[in-house]
Amino acid sequence: MRKPFIIANWKMNKNVQESVEFAKAMQDAVPLGEDVGIAAQALALYSMRAAIGDSPLRIIAQNAGSQPSGAQTGEISIESLADAGVSHVILGHLERRLLFHESNEEISKKVATALQFGVTPIICTDEEKIQVTIDGEQHYFFHQLTSILQGLSPKQMRRVIISYEPRYAVGAKQAASPDMAETACWQIRQSIADHFGAAVANEVRILYGGSVTPQNIYGIVSQPDVDGTLIGRASLNVQSFLQMVNCFQAAKQQKLTAI
């Protein structure tokens, strides 16, 4: 079974001190062997990593530049993120696309650079898909993902994480229903299989993001093709986030029982 992943995406919330205090509160609460992460502002990442020592809590960047170094004033170097102990980076978030006009080409370059320096890219995508019938079977073409993943080898693809985020649910009060989240994640998995083969597609973790709360997380992550969640405002409170981690654990046990 694919290893589930639950991620708090704080966006531009929490200063350095608040971020470090939250990380310390979480460091001993992460269940052994589980993937739980926090995506904080860049200024806080090094201090958070230093504060939690050998805790399994993942410290995640929300964005990075496409080049390892050079004349790109204000960008964040993925090489420097790796040096700071950052394990993952979110790339292509809907807000980056809409507010900062990031293109698929630029995001693709960022993915390649992240893989070069051993930082796992978490690629966000929304609902851009085309349904086609080939030899009587339904296939799903995701324009964003196909453009971004172009040129990756199957070995590299195995290191990538995908996060499905429907536009209507990002920053809203209405998440996708569990069935809708499952359908989209399954379709993305089928699209990956078409390009990289079924074995690779079955290894890639696909998360759901968009208005996830303690009230709806269990139903979403219980779905067979949903391998975790990217959580926004509901992750800003320690107790709320811990509650969701516990729901996550219960859903994982249900999946194991169903196998």
Side-chain angles (χ1 to χ4, degrees), residues 16 25-26 30 48 85 87 90 97-98 103 118 125 170 183 192 205 233 237 255:
V16 174
M26 286 293 302
V30 177
M48 293 170 69
S87 59
I90 297 172
R97 294 175 182 276
L98 295 180
S103 66
T125 187
V170 176
T183 297
I192 294 171
R205 290 188 286 184
R233 61 177 174 268
N237 177 273
K255 285 186 178 182

Side-chain angles (χ1 to χ4, degrees), residues 49-162:
R49 182 65 265 171
I52 63 174
D54 59 358
S55 168
L57 181 67
R58 306 281 191 173
I59 302 302
I60 299 172
Q62 296 178 14
N63 185 43
S66 61
Q67 301 299 321
S69 60
Q72 294 191 351
T73 301
E75 281 285 27
I76 302 166
S77 162
I78 289 180
E79 183 177 15
S80 294
L81 290 175
D83 288 343
V86 171
S87 59
H88 297 69
V89 58
I90 297 172
L91 299 173
H93 191 280
L94 177 61
E95 291 164 352
R96 297 295 310 178
R97 294 175 182 276
L98 295 180
L99 299 177
F100 301 97
H101 311 293
E102 289 191 359
S103 66
N104 293 329
E105 181 182 7
E106 180 70 8
I107 296 164
S108 179
K109 291 178 182 177
K110 294 182 179 188
V111 170
T113 305
L115 291 169
Q116 178 185 348
F117 287 97
V119 177
T120 300
I122 302 168
I123 304 171
C124 298
T125 187
D126 60 11
E127 298 175 297
E128 285 191 37
K129 66 178 180 236
I130 300 171
Q131 183 174 324
V132 296
T133 302
I134 302 175
D135 295 331
E137 294 184 353
Q138 297 300 315
H139 294 258
Y140 302 90
F141 179 83
F142 287 80
H143 176 67
Q144 289 179 353
L145 283 179
T146 302
S147 300
I148 293 168
L149 301 176
Q150 183 175 328
L152 294 187
S153 68
K155 182 178 179 180
Q156 290 175 314
M157 187 64 218
R158 285 183 165 94
R159 296 168 53 197
V160 168
I161 296 173
I162 306 294

Side-chain angles (χ1 to χ4, degrees), residues 32-53:
L32 189 64
E34 297 302 320
D35 267 350
V36 177
I38 298 175
Q41 293 193 71
L43 280 172
L45 298 176
Y46 179 81
S47 297
M48 293 170 69
R49 182 65 265 171
I52 63 174

Side-chain angles (χ1 to χ4, degrees), residues 236-254:
L236 293 171
N237 177 273
V238 172
Q239 295 307 314
S240 173
F241 190 50
L242 284 174
Q243 183 181 348
M244 288 186 282
V245 170
N246 291 333
C247 285
F248 197 71
Q249 285 291 102
K252 177 186 175 183
Q253 291 305 314
Q254 176 181 308

Side-chain angles (χ1 to χ4, degrees), residues 169 175 208-214 216-217 220 229-235 244:
Y208 169 80
S211 299
V212 178
T213 69
N216 64 26
I217 187 171
I220 291 171
T229 53
L230 191 62
I231 305 168
R233 61 177 174 268
S235 69
M244 288 186 282

Side-chain angles (χ1 to χ4, degrees), residues 178-224:
D179 286 345
M180 291 171 66
E182 165 62 18
T183 297
C185 290
W186 178 85
Q187 290 172 343
I188 289 171
R189 199 174 304 285
Q190 298 309 304
S191 178
I192 294 171
D194 285 343
H195 290 86
F196 295 94
V200 173
N202 285 331
E203 292 183 33
V204 173
R205 290 188 286 184
I206 303 176
L207 317 181
Y208 169 80
S211 299
V212 178
T213 69
Q215 291 70 42
N216 64 26
I217 187 171
Y218 183 85
I220 291 171
V221 298
S222 295
Q223 302 303 310

